[in-house]
Amino acid sequence: MLAEPFNWHPGMWNMLIVAMCLALLGCLQAQELQGHVSIILLGATGDLAKKYLWQGLFQLYLDEAGRGHSFSFHGAALTAPKQGQELMAKALESLSCPKDMAPSHCAEHKDQFLQLSRYRQLKTAEDYQALNKDIEAQLQHAGLREAGRIFYFSVPPFAYEDIARNINSSCRPGPGTWLRVVLEKPFGHDHFSAQQLATELGTFFQEEEMYRVDHYLGKQAVAQILPFRDQNRKALGSLWNRQHVERVEIVMKETVDAEGRTSFYEEYGVIRDVLQNHLTEVLTLVAMELPHNVSSAEAVLRHKLQVFQALRGLQRGSAIVGQYQSYSEQVRRELQKPDSFHSLTPTFAAVLVHIDNLRWEGVPFILMSGKALDERVGYARILFKNQACCVQSEKHWAAAQSQCLPRQLVFHIGHGDLGSPAVLVSRNLFRPSLPSSWKEMEGPPGLRLFGSPLSDYYAYSPVQERDAHSVLLSHIFHGRKDSFITTENLLASWDFWTPLLESLAHKAPRLYPGGAENGRLLDFEFSSGRLFFSQQQPEQLVPGPGPAPMPSDFQVLRAKYRESPLVSAWSEELISKLANDIEATAVRAVRRFGQFHLALSGGSSPVALFQQLATAHYGFPWAHTHLWLVDERCVPLSDPESNFQGLQAHLLQHVRIPYYNIHPMPVHLQQRLCAEEDQGAQIYAREISALVANSSFDLVLLGMGADGHTASLFPQSPTGLDGEQLVVLTTSPSQPHRRMSLSLPLINRAKKVAVLVMGRMKREITTLVSRVGHEPKKWPISGVLPHSGQLVWYMDYDAFLG
């Protein structure tokens, strides 16, 4: 009896074809990965290599050696061969195997790894040439195909350039292979030095060849942030935004101090050492828009860069800093400093960060780290808003149901009471989904974390804990770039942090005793875009029998300047005072007349004021405010040189002001800039006359240039100093030369004029103008005197006292 022919369903054919394609693709990928890999560890006898890197390389060997790859490991340093070999052998003695590996197998693998590892001195160009010849000879002798080479730079950055030059000239693998160069932080000291270093390395290596390591990205809880967000998209989709997130805390606390490392710490401090890199990277993973494919390195890196582009600039008031009391003594001892030396390097810092985009506008991100604190722990905590009111008493609240209990998601990076990496999700949020490499965990009885018992969380920990460097070495081997810092992202980070670092360079940190004795001394609060210590006390510049006075201890000074009221203070207090005065003037004007007309100058001095008004004055009557410009450069409004562009970047985009109440100067008409025949000045004058009663602004904010100019009214130029014109075209001695400006007669019609003068560079002109009479043609600022209004000078101590 003949069997009936088997009838293939069209869907089965499709399934068979897909399976065959997948199998073929797998074979091709395996073939692509197979080959010999040479790994050269530079700085092979250093602390990092001994503590982490050799163990990480051994783990890489255990993971990959059975998959068709062959390896050779070259430990390299400047040390002479005999001594170097002894030091490296000592470092390799501590290699360990996974707990589930049989001792006999472990011994066998360790023996194989040791046979593949050798030390060599890499000091001269000839040494690198010899290394290259040895690798090629080994390949030829064993008949191996070379897959690629990894050079791991576990050396100080000053050595990078020479090593990079030698690798590029002598040690590049041949065609059809890859080169991967691994770089350890620090990647510069500020934006300028980071740019210099990046440029140097860029002359020797392609961007895709460089892997900048931030070991925090290899921490299992940190590496889980994006996969967790991706796997729980549905649950988090409606929660991950400013409507539901109260704040985000990203923290790394240490109990150890900087003893033995003060030479490094004096140069970098806690912000450069931890916040600029580790904590900022965690911030980007939490805040970035989630790509459709989180496995795409290109998409992940692009979305991280978008976070940097949305970060609001930091001010000095965005941060608080501290220093444990014995630090200066340690520096004096280790660096042979005189007894009178007292360091200003912070060992503790907290920074308030805001992200100006639709998802995160208004949500505070708090980054905090320090040494000599009460515990060692790291975490990223997302605290959700709680708008529930529960009628029953707390004893009836069920963890999985009650919305009155705290709602939080915590990526517990390590250490602390929990003692291991973990992901914690409040049971009243949602039950999370995690990969099979994570398991539900139970902690010790009675353990409380972030204000709640552990039983109030869905808690997960890795099935197998792995060291961060081990994870990252695996990613380097497989060419996964998303776990590393690109040049573009590095420079974006330094661009964000450098202004704050410069502003804090001479700020005395709050001293704290260290450990449990800190008590509440470092507790802090945040309000109106600023951080401040909860316990206010005069800060001490140097230890002594009594507290030394600090700038913040001085009261705002009120006096007279050119027969008009003068307000003088340190820059931060001055800006705060001026912002408060402007708000008070605005509130009075709106109460009396229903609107407030404010004319603002451009330049660098008012930037801090704009930021203060944008972030700390929620009672400002923006809906009834008209904004005008005092002067404008003859450039398109979108040009970075434009005063309006500065106003837009630092103020307008952050406040709710009707667009029809914003009045930029018409410098760009008929595709021309400040052409007389376009009558831009006359157009602006007519607009002022139509909207501002009696053409009298409620408040005009001016500055004073080092040559005595104000607005865009310049010495030795009569334009705009008298006459009937309200708005004029002028010529500046500096580029761009053409300007549009309110005239002096129009400025003097104002109800109030505030002149803001800041910085030591203004000290000379401040002294000079204090002595001159009414000479506007020589010193235009001397012509500012409102006919029936008030003139108030606002000067910081640098400008007023020098």
Side-chain angles (χ1 to χ4, degrees), residues 720-743:
L721 299 180
D722 51 27
E724 299 298 319
Q725 283 184 281
L726 302 183
V727 185
V728 295
L729 292 176
T730 66
T731 302
S732 165
S734 58
Q735 292 186 334
H737 297 298
R738 292 289 281 165
R739 308 285 177 93
M740 186 178 289
S741 178
L742 304 187
S743 68

Side-chain angles (χ1 to χ4, degrees), residues 257-408:
D257 60 21
E259 189 169 16
R261 295 184 67 228
T262 56
S263 60
F264 168 83
Y265 222 76
E266 262 303 274
E267 186 175 357
Y268 289 92
V270 67
I271 296 178
R272 290 180 174 91
D273 187 35
V274 178
L275 278 76
Q276 179 272 329
N277 37 70
H278 303 328
L279 302 195
T280 302
E281 285 300 313
V282 176
L283 180 148
T284 62
L285 294 173
V286 171
M288 65 185 275
E289 292 300 310
L290 202 57
H292 293 298
N293 178 11
V294 295
S295 299
S296 166
E298 182 184 353
V300 168
L301 293 169
R302 184 173 66 250
H303 283 72
K304 286 173 77 171
L305 184 61
Q306 290 170 0
V307 175
F308 283 115
Q309 292 166 345
L311 292 174
R312 184 185 301 171
L314 295 173
Q315 305 174 42
R316 186 171 168 179
S318 305
I320 53 171
V321 291
Q323 182 191 98
Y324 64 84
Q325 286 175 345
S326 62
Y327 177 76
S328 283
E329 192 277 326
Q330 290 172 349
V331 173
R332 289 193 293 270
R333 184 176 66 250
E334 294 180 16
L335 303 185
Q336 288 80 52
K337 297 285 187 180
D339 291 343
S340 59
F341 175 81
H342 293 280
S343 173
L344 295 179
T345 301
T347 61
F348 166 85
V351 178
L352 179 61
V353 176
H354 281 97
I355 302 172
D356 290 326
N357 59 24
L358 288 174
R359 183 179 296 279
W360 298 113
E361 182 184 3
V363 177
F365 284 72
I366 300 164
L367 278 57
M368 188 264 281
S369 183
K371 289 188 173 295
L373 300 181
D374 62 312
E375 64 174 337
R376 183 185 183 189
V377 69
Y379 59 84
R381 179 190 182 209
I382 297 91
L383 183 64
F384 293 90
K385 294 177 182 177
N386 195 333
Q387 297 170 329
C389 293
C390 294
V391 176
Q392 285 188 300
S393 64
E394 186 175 347
K395 63 185 177 184
H396 296 296
W397 295 355
Q401 299 170 357
S402 176
Q403 292 304 305
C404 287
L405 290 169
R407 304 193 307 156
Q408 48 196 330

Side-chain angles (χ1 to χ4, degrees), residues 305 554 563 765:
L305 184 61
F554 291 93
E563 303 304 317
I765 189 65

Side-chain angles (χ1 to χ4, degrees), residues 446-604:
L447 179 61
R448 294 181 66 85
L449 295 166
F450 307 102
S452 300
L454 186 61
S455 58
D456 281 5
Y457 298 97
Y458 295 109
Y460 297 83
S461 63
V463 173
Q464 181 182 356
E465 288 191 42
R466 295 192 63 176
D467 172 68
H469 284 89
S470 170
V471 172
L472 293 176
L473 280 164
S474 175
H475 291 181
I476 293 162
F477 179 79
H478 290 286
R480 281 187 51 182
K481 291 282 286 184
D482 53 314
S483 300
F484 301 91
I485 316 300
T486 64
T487 300
E488 194 172 18
N489 282 21
L490 172 69
L491 295 179
S493 178
W494 275 119
D495 193 44
F496 174 66
W497 285 102
T498 297
L500 176 68
L501 288 163
E502 290 175 347
S503 72
L504 295 174
H506 302 293
K507 180 179 175 65
R510 170 172 287 197
L511 297 176
Y512 59 96
E517 293 181 32
N518 293 335
R520 297 188 58 240
L521 193 60
L522 295 179
D523 289 356
F524 60 89
E525 302 169 27
F526 57 92
S527 176
S528 303
R530 297 165 64 90
L531 282 184
F532 49 90
F533 287 110
S534 300
Q535 289 189 348
Q536 294 300 319
Q537 63 176 35
E539 298 187 34
Q540 192 169 310
L541 181 61
V542 294
M550 291 301 299
S552 57
D553 298 327
F554 291 93
Q555 297 298 312
V556 172
L557 174 67
R558 292 173 176 83
K560 290 277 187 180
Y561 179 82
R562 289 183 57 82
E563 303 304 317
S564 294
L566 165 70
V567 178
S568 191
W570 295 105
S571 57
E572 284 187 44
E573 287 79 8
L574 184 72
I575 290 296
S576 180
K577 170 64 177 165
L578 177 54
N580 289 337
D581 289 352
I582 293 174
E583 180 175 352
T585 304
V587 169
R588 285 195 300 270
V590 170
R591 193 176 294 140
R592 288 191 64 191
F593 307 111
Q595 55 188 4
F596 173 57
H597 288 276
L598 173 63
L600 295 171
S601 292
S604 59

Side-chain angles (χ1 to χ4, degrees), residues 39-61 72-76 87-96 113-114 116-119 469 473:
I39 301 179
I40 300 91
L41 175 55
L42 298 134
T45 58
D47 285 343
L48 184 65
K50 287 187 281 189
K51 286 182 181 178
Y52 302 109
L53 299 182
W54 280 117
Q55 180 62 42
L57 291 173
F58 180 50
Q59 185 63 53
L60 178 68
Y61 174 72
S72 58
F73 299 93
H74 304 264
L87 291 169
M88 194 175 105
K90 193 169 183 179
L92 294 175
E93 287 175 2
S94 59
L95 296 179
S96 61
F113 182 78
L114 293 173
L116 295 172
S117 305
R118 57 173 296 189
Y119 176 82
H469 284 89
L473 280 164

